[in-house]
Amino acid sequence: IILDYTGVSDLTLELLADYCPDLKTVSFMECRKFSRDGLESFFERMKNLLSVNVKGLFNFTGAALAGLLEGSAKTLDHLKLEKNPIELTDVRKVLEQCPRLSELSLAHMDFHTVNMAGEQVFEVLMKGVSQLFTQQIVKLDISHNKS
């Protein structure tokens, strides 16, 4: 389901989780009315997601990402986290817990607790997960990450 740039709220997330529990793809690009709790609850309930685009949600934090990993880590193949307040430690969890992940987009991220350029972000991601990373990721986008 693609709901990009719509004014939908947590009620939509509840309805989707209740009536469409087997969704494979969700795209909520720039849907800014979702709450942190609503996103976390929704993603915990979704068990078969293959592709997720949460670009620019602002309330998609580490807790919502943890919910996504709890629900769909084993099935997730494509993940766009662009323009969200996610920490590098959370990104590493994605790499460690998502064995099928082949595409990860971290463009325009605000790693606000660290002051790093794109090259430094890439280095941090590679440390400790380099073998896993090079075997599974086909596309990594870390563009527009400036110090």
Side-chain angles (χ1 to χ4, degrees), residues 111-146:
F111 296 112
H112 60 281
T113 60
V114 292
N115 189 18
M116 296 183 176
E119 187 173 81
Q120 293 167 306
V121 170
F122 185 73
E123 181 181 359
V124 168
L125 290 175
M126 293 301 289
K127 286 184 177 179
V129 292
S130 61
Q131 183 180 9
L132 171 69
F133 183 87
T134 55
Q135 289 175 356
Q136 74 186 44
I137 299 291
V138 174
K139 180 179 177 185
L140 171 68
D141 183 353
I142 58 169
S143 60
H144 304 285
N145 285 296
K146 301 174 188 172

Side-chain angles (χ1 to χ4, degrees), residues 60-130:
F60 191 85
T61 61
L65 183 59
L68 174 60
L69 294 177
E70 182 180 319
S72 296
K74 302 240 184 302
T75 59
L76 198 60
D77 184 58
H78 291 79
L79 180 58
K80 291 188 178 190
L81 293 173
E82 302 174 32
K83 297 172 78 174
N84 283 299
I86 303 296
E87 301 299 329
L88 283 173
T89 53
D90 295 322
V91 173
R92 287 180 61 135
K93 290 176 189 173
V94 169
L95 293 172
E96 293 166 351
Q97 296 178 32
C98 298
R100 296 191 59 206
L101 193 67
S102 65
E103 184 175 330
L104 177 62
S105 181
L106 304 171
H108 300 279
M109 296 295 285
D110 179 16
F111 296 112
H112 60 281
T113 60
V114 292
N115 189 18
M116 296 183 176
E119 187 173 81
Q120 293 167 306
V121 170
F122 185 73
E123 181 181 359
V124 168
L125 290 175
M126 293 301 289
K127 286 184 177 179
V129 292
S130 61

Side-chain angles (χ1 to χ4, degrees), residues 23-25 48-52 72 75-79 100:
L23 281 175
K24 303 294 184 216
T25 299
N48 298 304
L49 290 172
L50 301 174
S51 180
V52 173
S72 296
T75 59
L76 198 60
D77 184 58
H78 291 79
L79 180 58
R100 296 191 59 206

Side-chain angles (χ1 to χ4, degrees), residues 32-37 39 56-62 64 84-85:
R32 298 185 176 163
K33 291 187 178 181
F34 296 141
S35 71
R36 291 177 183 172
D37 292 340
L39 288 164
L57 294 191
F58 300 120
N59 279 325
F60 191 85
T61 61
N84 283 299

